[in-house]
Amino acid sequence: EAGRRGARPRHRHRHRAPAAVAEPLQLGQPADRPLHAMSALSKLPSRFSVQAALCVQPPKEHWPPIQAVRKQHDKAYARWPPHINILFPFVAEAALSDAVLAEVRAAFAACAPFRVRFSRHDVFTHGKNAVVHLVPEISPSDALQRVHDLARKLFPMCTNGNRDKFVPHLTVGQWPARVAEREARKLTRTYRAVEFDVTHVTIVTRTP
């Protein structure tokens, strides 16, 4: 099937491992200051960076089957590790002072840890092209939405006025739309479902 027209991998030349630095923000830890006392966050510049993202990363022991697909099909493989975006673009690394990070950690400490299960793939279609992605099943079901809502409150400059519905997903690659659903079904058939606890969210900054 891989030899059929339209089904061949599109990014075989991208073999570099993703290079990024990560800043974990623990969930469910006692906060040491109320949200209204967060003065450093209130002084953040109204700019964001496409080299930074606030996200959930699966534990590294679950990366190999995801990365095997991304290495062949995802144009972002060399730029980003596997992740579920919460906010992208995000605050530039230079603006994340120790004071800002301390306040962000305190804010996210109020969010409870949750569990993620990956068992199936789905498709976003954009004209003639499509993105195939893993669908995260969240437990409790509203836990990641609560994290997203808090992130939007803390970092309004990163929302750019976007009010689209939050649809969490982990991208594994891009295909022509005419074959994407077939490829998603094929990936689901061969993917072994995994579950993991999310005890922190992560600020990932892409290295040049």
Side-chain angles (χ1 to χ4, degrees):
E1 180 136 13
R4 293 182 183 177
R5 183 179 178 186
R8 284 179 293 181
R10 303 173 62 206
H11 305 290
R12 288 189 182 277
H13 61 289
R14 299 183 180 273
H15 293 305
R16 289 181 295 139
V21 293
E23 182 73 42
L25 308 170
Q26 292 295 129
L27 305 177
Q29 300 293 323
D32 57 6
R33 70 188 75 189
L35 280 176
H36 66 260
M38 296 189 171
S39 58
L41 270 169
S42 67
K43 297 174 184 176
L44 277 175
S46 58
R47 297 188 301 274
F48 49 79
S49 170
V50 295
Q51 292 188 327
L54 178 67
C55 61
V56 171
Q57 290 184 279
K60 286 193 174 182
E61 61 263 32
H62 299 314
W63 285 22
I66 297 171
Q67 293 295 73
V69 177
R70 292 186 69 231
K71 186 175 183 179
Q72 300 298 326
H73 295 280
D74 188 8
K75 62 186 179 182
Y77 169 80
R79 298 194 302 272
W80 297 101
H83 65 282
I84 303 168
N85 272 333
I86 298 170
L87 282 183
F88 174 82
F90 194 60
V91 178
E93 183 180 20
L96 296 174
S97 65
D98 289 345
V100 167
L101 286 174
E103 292 181 359
V104 172
R105 289 192 184 98
F108 281 106
C111 294
F114 54 94
R115 193 159 181 83
V116 170
R117 173 181 167 84
F118 286 133
S119 64
R120 66 183 181 91
H121 296 73
D122 206 346
V123 174
F124 295 137
T125 302
H126 309 282
K128 295 182 178 180
N129 301 309
V131 171
V132 176
H133 59 91
L134 278 164
V135 179
E137 301 166 44
I138 312 297
S139 180
S141 59
D142 65 343
L144 185 52
Q145 181 67 56
R146 288 175 179 271
V147 171
H148 177 256
D149 291 346
L150 175 60
R152 288 179 62 93
K153 180 177 180 180
L154 296 175
F155 304 102
M157 75 291 291
C158 299
T159 67
N160 202 25
N162 187 344
R163 296 185 179 275
D164 291 347
K165 181 181 178 182
F166 177 50
V167 183
H169 61 280
L170 191 155
T171 296
V172 298
Q174 299 79 36
W175 275 264
R178 67 181 181 276
V179 300
E181 289 190 5
R182 183 186 70 201
E183 294 299 310
R185 289 193 297 269
K186 185 168 67 174
L187 288 170
T188 296
R189 285 196 300 269
T190 59
Y191 182 74
R192 180 177 295 179
V194 299
E195 294 187 37
F196 54 91
D197 292 319
V198 176
T199 59
H200 61 276
V201 296
T202 305
I203 300 171
V204 175
T205 302
R206 197 178 93 199
T207 55

